[in-house]
Coordinates of all heavy atoms in Angstrom, one line a residue:
M1 N 72.3 -18.7 70.6 CA 72.6 -17.5 71.5 C 74.0 -17.7 72.1 O 74.3 -18.8 72.5 CB 71.5 -17.4 72.5 CG 70.2 -17.0 72.0 SD 69.0 -16.5 73.2 CE 69.0 -17.8 74.4
E2 N 74.7 -16.6 72.3 CA 76.0 -16.6 73.0 C 75.8 -16.0 74.4 O 74.9 -15.2 74.6 CB 77.0 -15.8 72.2 CG 77.3 -16.4 70.9 CD 78.3 -15.5 70.1 OE1 79.2 -14.9 70.8 OE2 78.2 -15.4 68.9
Y3 N 76.6 -16.4 75.3 CA 76.5 -15.9 76.7 C 77.9 -15.3 77.1 O 78.9 -15.9 76.9 CB 76.1 -17.0 77.6 CG 74.8 -17.6 77.2 CD1 74.7 -18.7 76.3 CD2 73.6 -17.0 77.7 CE1 73.4 -19.2 76.0 CE2 72.4 -17.5 77.3 CZ 72.3 -18.6 76.4 OH 71.1 -19.1 76.1
E4 N 77.8 -14.2 77.8 CA 79.0 -13.5 78.3 C 78.7 -13.1 79.7 O 77.6 -12.9 80.1 CB 79.3 -12.3 77.4 CG 79.6 -12.6 76.0 CD 81.0 -13.3 75.8 OE1 81.9 -13.1 76.7 OE2 81.2 -14.0 74.8
F5 N 79.8 -12.9 80.5 CA 79.7 -12.4 81.9 C 80.5 -11.1 81.9 O 81.6 -11.0 81.5 CB 80.3 -13.4 82.9 CG 79.6 -14.7 82.9 CD1 80.1 -15.8 82.2 CD2 78.4 -14.8 83.6 CE1 79.4 -17.0 82.2 CE2 77.7 -16.0 83.6 CZ 78.2 -17.1 82.9
T6 N 79.9 -10.0 82.5 CA 80.6 -8.8 82.6 C 81.6 -8.9 83.8 O 81.4 -9.7 84.7 CB 79.6 -7.6 82.9 OG1 78.9 -7.8 84.1 CG2 78.7 -7.4 81.7
K7 N 82.5 -8.0 83.9 CA 83.5 -7.9 85.0 C 82.7 -7.7 86.3 O 83.0 -8.2 87.3 CB 84.5 -6.9 84.8 CG 85.5 -7.2 83.7 CD 86.5 -6.1 83.6 CE 87.5 -6.5 82.4 NZ 88.5 -5.4 82.2
Q8 N 81.7 -6.8 86.2 CA 80.9 -6.5 87.4 C 80.2 -7.7 87.9 O 80.1 -7.9 89.1 CB 79.9 -5.4 87.1 CG 79.0 -4.9 88.2 CD 79.9 -4.3 89.3 OE1 80.7 -3.5 89.0 NE2 79.7 -4.7 90.6
F9 N 79.6 -8.5 87.0 CA 78.9 -9.8 87.4 C 79.9 -10.7 88.2 O 79.6 -11.2 89.2 CB 78.3 -10.5 86.2 CG 77.6 -11.7 86.5 CD1 76.3 -11.6 86.9 CD2 78.2 -12.9 86.5 CE1 75.5 -12.7 87.3 CE2 77.4 -14.1 86.8 CZ 76.1 -14.0 87.2
L10 N 81.1 -10.9 87.7 CA 82.1 -11.7 88.3 C 82.5 -11.2 89.7 O 82.7 -12.0 90.6 CB 83.3 -11.9 87.4 CG 82.9 -12.6 86.0 CD1 84.2 -12.6 85.1 CD2 82.4 -14.0 86.2
R11 N 82.6 -9.9 89.8 CA 83.0 -9.3 91.1 C 81.8 -9.5 92.1 O 82.1 -9.8 93.2 CB 83.2 -7.8 90.9 CG 84.6 -7.5 90.7 CD 84.9 -6.0 90.7 NE 85.0 -5.6 89.2 CZ 84.5 -4.5 88.7 NH1 83.8 -3.6 89.4 NH2 84.6 -4.3 87.4
D12 N 80.6 -9.4 91.6 CA 79.4 -9.6 92.5 C 79.3 -11.1 92.9 O 79.0 -11.3 94.1 CB 78.1 -9.2 91.7 CG 78.0 -7.7 91.5 OD1 78.8 -7.0 92.2 OD2 77.2 -7.3 90.7
V13 N 79.7 -12.0 92.1 CA 79.6 -13.4 92.4 C 80.6 -13.7 93.6 O 80.4 -14.4 94.5 CB 79.9 -14.3 91.2 CG1 80.2 -15.8 91.7 CG2 78.8 -14.3 90.2
K14 N 81.8 -13.0 93.4 CA 82.8 -13.2 94.5 C 82.3 -12.6 95.8 O 82.6 -13.1 96.9 CB 84.1 -12.5 94.1 CG 84.9 -13.3 93.1 CD 86.2 -12.6 92.7 CE 86.9 -13.3 91.6 NZ 88.1 -12.5 91.2
R15 N 81.6 -11.5 95.7 CA 81.1 -10.8 96.9 C 80.0 -11.7 97.7 O 80.0 -11.6 98.9 CB 80.4 -9.5 96.5 CG 80.1 -8.6 97.7 CD 79.7 -7.2 97.2 NE 78.4 -7.3 96.7 CZ 77.8 -6.2 96.2 NH1 78.4 -5.1 96.1 NH2 76.6 -6.3 95.7
F16 N 79.2 -12.4 96.9 CA 78.1 -13.2 97.5 C 78.4 -14.7 97.6 O 77.5 -15.5 97.8 CB 76.8 -13.0 96.8 CG 76.3 -11.6 96.8 CD1 76.2 -10.8 95.7 CD2 76.0 -11.0 98.0 CE1 75.8 -9.5 95.7 CE2 75.6 -9.7 98.1 CZ 75.5 -8.9 96.9
H17 N 79.7 -15.1 97.4 CA 80.0 -16.5 97.3 C 79.8 -17.3 98.6 O 79.8 -18.5 98.6 CB 81.4 -16.7 96.7 CG 82.5 -16.5 97.7 ND1 82.9 -15.3 98.1 CD2 83.2 -17.4 98.4 CE1 83.9 -15.4 98.9 NE2 84.1 -16.7 99.2
R18 N 79.7 -16.6 99.7 CA 79.6 -17.3 101.0 C 78.2 -17.9 101.2 O 78.1 -18.8 102.1 CB 79.9 -16.3 102.1 CG 81.4 -16.0 102.1 CD 81.7 -15.0 103.3 NE 83.0 -14.6 103.3 CZ 83.5 -13.6 102.6 NH1 82.7 -12.8 102.0 NH2 84.8 -13.2 102.6
D19 N 77.2 -17.5 100.5 CA 75.9 -18.0 100.6 C 75.8 -19.3 99.7 O 75.5 -19.1 98.5 CB 74.8 -17.0 100.3 CG 73.4 -17.4 100.6 OD1 73.2 -18.6 101.0 OD2 72.5 -16.6 100.5
D20 N 75.9 -20.5 100.3 CA 76.0 -21.7 99.5 C 74.7 -22.0 98.7 O 74.8 -22.4 97.6 CB 76.3 -22.9 100.4 CG 77.7 -22.8 101.0 OD1 78.5 -22.2 100.4 OD2 77.9 -23.4 102.1
K21 N 73.6 -21.7 99.3 CA 72.3 -21.9 98.6 C 72.2 -21.0 97.4 O 71.7 -21.4 96.3 CB 71.1 -21.7 99.5 CG 71.0 -22.8 100.5 CD 69.7 -22.6 101.4 CE 69.6 -23.7 102.4 NZ 68.4 -23.6 103.2
F22 N 72.6 -19.8 97.5 CA 72.6 -18.8 96.4 C 73.5 -19.3 95.3 O 73.1 -19.3 94.1 CB 73.0 -17.4 96.9 CG 73.3 -16.5 95.7 CD1 72.3 -16.1 94.9 CD2 74.6 -16.2 95.4 CE1 72.6 -15.2 93.8 CE2 74.9 -15.3 94.4 CZ 73.9 -14.9 93.6
V23 N 74.7 -19.8 95.6 CA 75.6 -20.2 94.6 C 75.1 -21.4 93.9 O 75.1 -21.5 92.6 CB 77.0 -20.6 95.2 CG1 77.9 -21.2 94.2 CG2 77.6 -19.3 95.8
H24 N 74.4 -22.3 94.6 CA 73.8 -23.5 94.0 C 72.7 -23.1 93.0 O 72.6 -23.6 91.9 CB 73.3 -24.4 95.1 CG 72.5 -25.6 94.6 ND1 73.1 -26.6 93.9 CD2 71.2 -25.9 94.6 CE1 72.2 -27.5 93.5 NE2 71.0 -27.1 93.9
H25 N 71.8 -22.2 93.5 CA 70.7 -21.8 92.7 C 71.1 -21.0 91.5 O 70.6 -21.1 90.4 CB 69.7 -21.0 93.5 CG 68.9 -21.8 94.5 ND1 68.0 -22.8 94.1 CD2 68.8 -21.8 95.8 CE1 67.4 -23.3 95.1 NE2 67.9 -22.7 96.2
L26 N 72.2 -20.2 91.7 CA 72.7 -19.4 90.5 C 73.3 -20.3 89.5 O 73.1 -20.1 88.3 CB 73.8 -18.4 91.0 CG 74.4 -17.5 90.0 CD1 73.4 -16.6 89.3 CD2 75.6 -16.7 90.6
G27 N 74.0 -21.3 89.9 CA 74.6 -22.3 88.9 C 73.5 -23.0 88.1 O 73.6 -23.2 86.9
A28 N 72.4 -23.4 88.8 CA 71.3 -24.1 88.2 C 70.6 -23.1 87.2 O 70.2 -23.5 86.1 CB 70.3 -24.6 89.2
K29 N 70.5 -21.8 87.6 CA 69.8 -20.9 86.7 C 70.6 -20.6 85.5 O 70.1 -20.4 84.4 CB 69.5 -19.6 87.5 CG 68.6 -18.7 86.8 CD 67.3 -19.3 86.7 CE 66.2 -18.3 86.7 NZ 64.9 -18.9 86.3
I30 N 71.9 -20.4 85.7 CA 72.8 -20.2 84.5 C 72.8 -21.4 83.6 O 72.7 -21.2 82.4 CB 74.3 -19.9 85.0 CG1 74.3 -18.5 85.6 CG2 75.2 -19.9 83.8 CD1 75.6 -18.1 86.3
N31 N 72.8 -22.6 84.1 CA 72.7 -23.8 83.3 C 71.4 -23.8 82.5 O 71.4 -24.2 81.3 CB 72.8 -25.0 84.2 CG 73.7 -26.1 83.7 OD1 74.3 -25.9 82.7 ND2 73.8 -27.1 84.4
H32 N 70.3 -23.5 83.2 CA 69.0 -23.5 82.5 C 69.0 -22.4 81.4 O 68.4 -22.7 80.3 CB 67.9 -23.1 83.5 CG 66.6 -23.0 83.0 ND1 65.8 -24.0 82.4 CD2 65.8 -21.9 82.8 CE1 64.7 -23.6 82.0 NE2 64.7 -22.2 82.2
T33 N 69.6 -21.3 81.6 CA 69.7 -20.2 80.6 C 70.5 -20.7 79.4 O 70.2 -20.4 78.3 CB 70.3 -19.0 81.2 OG1 69.6 -18.6 82.4 CG2 70.3 -17.8 80.3
F34 N 71.6 -21.4 79.7 CA 72.5 -21.9 78.6 C 71.7 -22.9 77.7 O 71.9 -23.0 76.5 CB 73.7 -22.6 79.1 CG 74.8 -21.6 79.6 CD1 75.9 -22.1 80.2 CD2 74.7 -20.3 79.4 CE1 76.9 -21.2 80.7 CE2 75.6 -19.4 79.8 CZ 76.8 -19.9 80.5
N35 N 70.8 -23.7 78.3 CA 70.1 -24.7 77.6 C 68.8 -24.2 76.9 O 68.2 -24.9 76.1 CB 69.7 -25.9 78.5 CG 70.9 -26.6 79.0 OD1 71.9 -26.7 78.3 ND2 70.9 -27.1 80.2
A36 N 68.4 -23.0 77.2 CA 67.2 -22.4 76.6 C 67.4 -22.1 75.2 O 68.5 -21.6 74.7 CB 66.8 -21.1 77.4
V37 N 66.4 -22.3 74.4 CA 66.4 -22.1 72.9 C 66.4 -20.6 72.6 O 67.1 -20.1 71.8 CB 65.3 -22.8 72.2 CG1 65.3 -22.5 70.7 CG2 65.4 -24.3 72.5
S38 N 65.5 -19.9 73.4 CA 65.4 -18.4 73.2 C 65.2 -17.8 74.6 O 64.9 -18.5 75.6 CB 64.2 -18.1 72.3 OG 63.0 -18.4 72.9
I39 N 65.3 -16.5 74.6 CA 65.1 -15.7 75.9 C 63.7 -15.9 76.4 O 63.5 -15.8 77.6 CB 65.6 -14.3 75.7 CG1 65.9 -13.7 77.1 CG2 64.5 -13.5 75.0 CD1 66.8 -12.5 77.0
D40 N 62.8 -16.1 75.6 CA 61.4 -16.3 76.1 C 61.2 -17.6 76.8 O 60.2 -17.7 77.6 CB 60.4 -16.3 74.9 CG 60.5 -14.9 74.1 OD1 60.8 -13.9 74.8 OD2 60.2 -14.9 72.9
K41 N 62.1 -18.5 76.6 CA 61.9 -19.9 77.3 C 62.6 -19.9 78.7 O 62.6 -21.0 79.3 CB 62.5 -20.9 76.4 CG 61.9 -21.0 75.0 CD 60.5 -21.4 75.1 CE 59.9 -21.5 73.7 NZ 58.5 -21.7 73.7
I42 N 63.2 -18.8 79.1 CA 63.9 -18.8 80.4 C 62.8 -18.6 81.5 O 62.1 -17.6 81.5 CB 65.0 -17.8 80.4 CG1 66.0 -18.1 79.4 CG2 65.7 -17.8 81.8 CD1 67.0 -17.0 79.2
D43 N 62.7 -19.5 82.5 CA 61.8 -19.4 83.5 C 62.1 -18.3 84.5 O 63.3 -18.1 84.9 CB 61.7 -20.7 84.3 CG 61.1 -21.8 83.5 OD1 60.4 -21.5 82.5 OD2 61.4 -23.0 83.8
G44 N 61.1 -17.5 84.9 CA 61.3 -16.5 85.9 C 62.0 -15.2 85.4 O 62.2 -14.3 86.2
L45 N 62.2 -15.1 84.2 CA 62.8 -13.9 83.6 C 61.8 -12.8 83.4 O 60.8 -13.1 82.8 CB 63.5 -14.2 82.3 CG 64.6 -13.3 81.8 CD1 65.7 -13.2 82.8 CD2 65.1 -13.7 80.4
V46 N 62.0 -11.6 83.9 CA 61.1 -10.5 83.8 C 61.7 -9.3 83.1 O 62.8 -9.0 83.5 CB 60.6 -10.1 85.2 CG1 59.7 -8.9 85.2 CG2 60.0 -11.2 86.0
S47 N 61.0 -8.8 82.2 CA 61.5 -7.6 81.5 C 61.4 -6.4 82.4 O 60.5 -6.2 83.1 CB 60.7 -7.4 80.2 OG 61.1 -6.2 79.6
I48 N 62.4 -5.6 82.4 CA 62.4 -4.4 83.2 C 61.7 -3.3 82.4 O 62.0 -3.0 81.2 CB 63.9 -3.9 83.5 CG1 64.5 -5.0 84.4 CG2 63.9 -2.6 84.2 CD1 65.9 -4.7 84.9
R49 N 60.8 -2.6 83.1 CA 59.9 -1.6 82.5 C 60.8 -0.5 81.9 O 61.7 0.0 82.6 CB 58.9 -1.1 83.5 CG 57.7 -0.5 82.9 CD 56.7 -0.1 83.9 NE 56.8 -0.8 85.2 CZ 56.3 -0.3 86.3 NH1 55.7 0.9 86.3 NH2 56.4 -1.0 87.4
G50 N 60.4 0.0 80.7 CA 61.1 1.2 80.2 C 62.2 0.8 79.3 O 62.8 1.7 78.7
T51 N 62.6 -0.4 79.1 CA 63.7 -0.8 78.2 C 63.3 -2.2 77.6 O 62.6 -3.0 78.2 CB 65.0 -0.9 79.0 OG1 66.0 -1.3 78.1 CG2 64.9 -1.8 80.2
A52 N 63.8 -2.4 76.4 CA 63.5 -3.6 75.7 C 64.6 -4.7 75.8 O 64.5 -5.8 75.4 CB 63.3 -3.3 74.2
V53 N 65.8 -4.3 76.4 CA 66.9 -5.2 76.4 C 67.4 -5.6 77.7 O 68.2 -6.5 77.9 CB 68.1 -4.6 75.6 CG1 67.8 -4.3 74.2 CG2 68.6 -3.3 76.3
H54 N 66.8 -5.1 78.8 CA 67.2 -5.4 80.2 C 66.1 -6.3 80.8 O 64.9 -6.1 80.7 CB 67.3 -4.2 81.0 CG 68.5 -3.3 80.6 ND1 68.3 -2.3 79.7 CD2 69.8 -3.3 80.9 CE1 69.5 -1.7 79.5 NE2 70.4 -2.3 80.2
Y55 N 66.7 -7.4 81.5 CA 65.8 -8.4 82.2 C 66.4 -8.6 83.5 O 67.6 -8.4 83.8 CB 65.7 -9.7 81.4 CG 65.2 -9.5 80.0 CD1 66.0 -9.2 78.9 CD2 63.8 -9.7 79.8 CE1 65.5 -9.1 77.6 CE2 63.3 -9.6 78.5 CZ 64.1 -9.3 77.4 OH 63.6 -9.2 76.2
R56 N 65.6 -9.2 84.4 CA 66.1 -9.6 85.7 C 65.3 -10.9 86.2 O 64.2 -11.2 85.7 CB 65.9 -8.5 86.8 CG 64.5 -8.2 87.1 CD 64.2 -8.5 88.6 NE 62.9 -8.0 88.9 CZ 61.9 -8.9 89.1 NH1 62.0 -10.1 89.0 NH2 60.7 -8.4 89.4
F57 N 66.0 -11.6 87.0 CA 65.3 -12.7 87.7 C 65.8 -12.7 89.2 O 66.8 -12.1 89.5 CB 65.5 -14.1 87.0 CG 66.9 -14.6 86.9 CD1 67.5 -15.2 88.0 CD2 67.6 -14.3 85.8 CE1 68.8 -15.7 87.8 CE2 68.9 -14.8 85.6 CZ 69.5 -15.5 86.7
K58 N 65.0 -13.3 90.0 CA 65.3 -13.4 91.5 C 65.7 -14.8 91.9 O 65.1 -15.8 91.4 CB 64.0 -12.9 92.3 CG 63.6 -11.5 92.1 CD 62.4 -11.3 93.0 CE 61.9 -9.9 92.8 NZ 60.7 -9.6 93.6
I59 N 66.5 -14.8 92.9 CA 66.8 -16.1 93.6 C 66.6 -15.8 95.1 O 67.2 -14.9 95.6 CB 68.3 -16.5 93.3 CG1 68.5 -16.8 91.9 CG2 68.7 -17.7 94.2 CD1 69.9 -17.2 91.5
K60 N 65.7 -16.6 95.6 CA 65.3 -16.4 97.1 C 66.0 -17.5 97.9 O 65.9 -18.7 97.5 CB 63.8 -16.5 97.2 CG 63.1 -15.4 96.5 CD 61.6 -15.5 96.7 CE 60.9 -14.4 95.9 NZ 59.4 -14.5 96.0
T61 N 66.7 -17.1 98.9 CA 67.3 -18.0 99.9 C 66.8 -17.6 101.3 O 66.0 -16.7 101.4 CB 68.8 -17.9 99.9 OG1 69.2 -16.6 100.3 CG2 69.4 -18.1 98.5
D62 N 67.2 -18.4 102.3 CA 66.8 -18.1 103.6 C 67.3 -16.7 104.1 O 66.6 -16.1 104.9 CB 67.4 -19.2 104.6 CG 66.9 -20.6 104.2 OD1 65.8 -20.7 103.6 OD2 67.6 -21.5 104.6
K63 N 68.5 -16.3 103.6 CA 69.1 -15.1 104.1 C 68.4 -13.9 103.5 O 68.1 -12.9 104.1 CB 70.6 -15.1 103.8 CG 71.3 -16.1 104.6 CD 72.8 -16.0 104.3 CE 73.6 -17.1 105.1 NZ 75.0 -17.0 104.8
C64 N 68.2 -13.9 102.1 CA 67.7 -12.7 101.4 C 67.3 -13.0 100.0 O 67.4 -14.2 99.6 CB 68.7 -11.5 101.5 SG 70.2 -11.9 100.7
V65 N 66.9 -12.0 99.3 CA 66.5 -12.2 97.9 C 67.5 -11.5 97.0 O 67.9 -10.3 97.2 CB 65.1 -11.5 97.6 CG1 64.7 -11.6 96.2 CG2 64.0 -12.1 98.5
Y66 N 68.1 -12.2 96.1 CA 69.1 -11.7 95.2 C 68.4 -11.4 93.8 O 67.6 -12.2 93.3 CB 70.2 -12.7 95.0 CG 71.0 -13.0 96.2 CD1 70.6 -14.1 97.0 CD2 72.1 -12.2 96.6 CE1 71.3 -14.4 98.2 CE2 72.8 -12.5 97.7 CZ 72.4 -13.6 98.5 OH 73.1 -13.8 99.6
R67 N 68.8 -10.3 93.2 CA 68.3 -9.9 91.9 C 69.5 -10.0 90.9 O 70.6 -9.5 91.2 CB 67.8 -8.5 91.9 CG 66.4 -8.5 92.5 CD 66.0 -7.0 92.7 NE 64.6 -7.0 93.3 CZ 64.4 -7.2 94.5 NH1 65.3 -7.4 95.4 NH2 63.1 -7.1 95.0
I68 N 69.3 -10.7 89.8 CA 70.4 -10.9 88.8 C 69.9 -10.1 87.5 O 68.8 -10.4 87.0 CB 70.6 -12.4 88.5 CG1 71.2 -13.1 89.7 CG2 71.6 -12.5 87.3 CD1 70.3 -13.6 90.7
G69 N 70.7 -9.2 87.0 CA 70.4 -8.5 85.8 C 71.0 -9.1 84.6 O 72.2 -9.4 84.6
I70 N 70.2 -9.1 83.5 CA 70.7 -9.7 82.2 C 70.4 -8.7 81.2 O 69.3 -8.0 81.2 CB 69.9 -11.0 81.9 CG1 70.3 -12.1 82.9 CG2 70.2 -11.5 80.5 CD1 69.6 -13.4 82.7
K71 N 71.3 -8.6 80.2 CA 71.1 -7.6 79.1 C 71.2 -8.4 77.8 O 72.1 -9.3 77.6 CB 72.3 -6.6 79.2 CG 72.1 -5.4 78.3 CD 73.3 -4.5 78.5 CE 73.0 -3.1 78.1 NZ 74.1 -2.2 78.3
R72 N 70.3 -8.2 76.9 CA 70.2 -8.9 75.6 C 70.6 -7.9 74.5 O 70.0 -6.9 74.3 CB 68.9 -9.4 75.3 CG 68.7 -10.1 74.0 CD 67.4 -10.6 73.7 NE 66.3 -9.7 74.0 CZ 65.8 -8.9 73.0 NH1 66.3 -8.9 71.8 NH2 64.9 -8.0 73.3
L73 N 71.7 -8.2 73.8 CA 72.2 -7.4 72.7 C 72.3 -8.3 71.5 O 73.2 -9.1 71.4 CB 73.5 -6.7 73.0 CG 73.5 -5.7 74.1 CD1 74.9 -5.2 74.4 CD2 72.6 -4.5 73.8
K74 N 71.3 -8.2 70.6 CA 71.2 -9.0 69.4 C 71.2 -10.5 69.8 O 70.3 -10.9 70.4 CB 72.3 -8.7 68.4 CG 72.2 -7.3 67.8 CD 73.2 -7.0 66.8 CE 73.0 -5.6 66.3 NZ 73.9 -5.2 65.3
K75 N 72.3 -11.3 69.5 CA 72.3 -12.7 69.9 C 73.1 -13.0 71.1 O 73.4 -14.2 71.4 CB 72.7 -13.5 68.7 CG 71.7 -13.5 67.6 CD 72.1 -14.5 66.5 CE 71.0 -14.5 65.4 NZ 71.2 -15.6 64.5
I76 N 73.6 -12.0 71.8 CA 74.5 -12.2 72.9 C 73.7 -11.8 74.2 O 73.1 -10.8 74.3 CB 75.7 -11.3 72.9 CG1 76.5 -11.7 71.6 CG2 76.6 -11.5 74.1 CD1 77.7 -10.8 71.4
I77 N 73.7 -12.7 75.2 CA 73.1 -12.5 76.5 C 74.2 -12.2 77.5 O 75.1 -13.0 77.7 CB 72.3 -13.8 77.0 CG1 71.3 -14.2 75.9 CG2 71.7 -13.5 78.3 CD1 70.2 -13.2 75.7
W78 N 74.2 -11.0 78.1 CA 75.2 -10.6 79.1 C 74.6 -10.7 80.5 O 73.6 -10.2 80.8 CB 75.6 -9.1 78.8 CG 76.4 -8.9 77.6 CD1 75.9 -8.7 76.4 CD2 77.8 -8.9 77.5 NE1 77.0 -8.5 75.5 CE2 78.1 -8.7 76.2 CE3 78.8 -9.1 78.5 CZ2 79.4 -8.6 75.8 CZ3 80.1 -9.0 78.0 CH2 80.4 -8.8 76.7
F79 N 75.3 -11.5 81.3 CA 75.0 -11.5 82.7 C 75.7 -10.3 83.3 O 76.9 -10.2 83.3 CB 75.5 -12.8 83.4 CG 74.6 -14.0 83.1 CD1 74.8 -14.7 81.9 CD2 73.6 -14.3 83.9 CE1 74.0 -15.8 81.6 CE2 72.8 -15.4 83.6 CZ 73.0 -16.1 82.4
A80 N 74.9 -9.3 83.8 CA 75.5 -8.0 84.1 C 75.8 -7.7 85.5 O 76.9 -7.3 85.9 CB 74.5 -6.9 83.6
C81 N 74.8 -8.0 86.5 CA 75.1 -7.7 87.9 C 74.2 -8.5 88.8 O 73.2 -9.1 88.4 CB 75.0 -6.2 88.1 SG 73.3 -5.6 88.1
I82 N 74.6 -8.5 90.1 CA 73.9 -9.2 91.1 C 73.8 -8.3 92.3 O 74.8 -7.6 92.6 CB 74.6 -10.5 91.6 CG1 74.8 -11.5 90.4 CG2 73.8 -11.2 92.7 CD1 75.7 -12.6 90.8
D83 N 72.7 -8.2 93.0 CA 72.6 -7.5 94.2 C 71.5 -8.0 95.1 O 70.5 -8.6 94.6 CB 72.4 -6.0 93.9 CG 73.1 -5.1 95.0 OD1 73.1 -5.5 96.2 OD2 73.6 -4.1 94.6
N84 N 71.7 -7.9 96.4 CA 70.6 -8.3 97.3 C 69.9 -7.1 97.9 O 69.0 -7.3 98.7 CB 71.2 -9.1 98.4 CG 72.2 -8.4 99.3 OD1 72.6 -7.3 99.0 ND2 72.7 -9.1 100.3
N85 N 70.2 -5.9 97.5 CA 69.5 -4.7 97.9 C 68.7 -4.2 96.7 O 69.3 -3.8 95.6 CB 70.5 -3.6 98.4 CG 69.8 -2.4 98.9 OD1 68.9 -1.8 98.2 ND2 70.2 -2.0 100.1
K86 N 67.4 -4.1 96.8 CA 66.5 -3.7 95.6 C 66.9 -2.3 95.1 O 67.0 -2.1 93.9 CB 65.1 -3.8 96.1 CG 64.1 -3.4 95.0 CD 62.7 -3.5 95.5 CE 61.7 -3.2 94.5 NZ 60.3 -3.3 95.0
K87 N 67.0 -1.4 96.0 CA 67.3 0.0 95.6 C 68.6 0.1 94.8 O 68.7 0.8 93.8 CB 67.3 0.9 96.8 CG 66.5 2.2 96.7 CD 66.6 2.9 98.0 CE 65.3 3.7 98.1 NZ 65.3 4.5 99.3
R88 N 69.6 -0.5 95.4 CA 71.0 -0.5 94.8 C 71.0 -1.2 93.5 O 71.7 -0.7 92.5 CB 72.0 -1.1 95.8 CG 73.4 -0.8 95.4 CD 74.4 -1.2 96.5 NE 74.1 -2.6 97.0 CZ 74.2 -3.0 98.3 NH1 74.6 -2.1 99.2 NH2 73.9 -4.2 98.6
F89 N 70.3 -2.3 93.4 CA 70.2 -3.0 92.1 C 69.7 -2.2 91.0 O 70.3 -2.1 89.9 CB 69.4 -4.3 92.2 CG 69.2 -5.0 91.0 CD1 70.2 -5.8 90.5 CD2 68.0 -4.9 90.2 CE1 70.0 -6.5 89.3 CE2 67.8 -5.6 89.0 CZ 68.8 -6.4 88.6
Y90 N 68.6 -1.5 91.2 CA 68.0 -0.7 90.2 C 68.7 0.6 89.9 O 68.6 1.2 88.8 CB 66.5 -0.4 90.5 CG 65.6 -1.6 90.2 CD1 65.1 -2.3 91.3 CD2 65.5 -2.2 89.0 CE1 64.4 -3.5 91.1 CE2 64.7 -3.3 88.8 CZ 64.2 -4.0 89.8 OH 63.5 -5.1 89.7
K91 N 69.6 1.0 90.8 CA 70.5 2.2 90.5 C 71.6 1.8 89.6 O 72.0 2.5 88.7 CB 71.1 2.7 91.8 CG 70.5 4.0 92.3 CD 71.2 4.5 93.5 CE 70.4 5.6 94.1 NZ 71.0 6.1 95.3
R92 N 72.1 0.6 89.9 CA 73.3 0.1 89.1 C 72.9 -0.5 87.7 O 73.6 -0.4 86.8 CB 74.0 -1.0 89.9 CG 74.7 -0.5 91.1 CD 75.3 -1.6 91.9 NE 76.0 -2.6 91.1 CZ 76.2 -3.8 91.5 NH1 75.9 -4.2 92.7 NH2 76.9 -4.7 90.8
F93 N 71.7 -1.0 87.7 CA 71.2 -1.7 86.5 C 69.9 -1.1 86.0 O 68.9 -1.2 86.6 CB 71.0 -3.2 86.8 CG 70.8 -4.1 85.6 CD1 71.7 -4.3 84.7 CD2 69.5 -4.6 85.4 CE1 71.5 -5.1 83.5 CE2 69.2 -5.4 84.3 CZ 70.2 -5.6 83.3
P94 N 70.0 -0.4 84.8 CA 68.7 0.3 84.4 C 67.6 -0.6 84.1 O 67.6 -1.7 83.7 CB 69.2 1.0 83.1 CG 70.5 0.4 82.8 CD 71.1 -0.3 83.9

């Protein structure tokens, strides 16, 4: 599997980079995703209802809960977006 980051994802990382615990957990989660053999082996990954290619996982810190959106297109996994507001996340990421 190949992994890519969208421009939106990189902008979102810059937006939330002040929360040290989040950055630490995000790095660990991305590392775990890189080492996974298939998308089914990634812990905490939940399929988004109504679509077969969109997934999300949560990272909980003391401050809030972050949702990270992932898109699977054939053999490429795209890290698409991050948000700490549930409503805004599902508006931006189908």
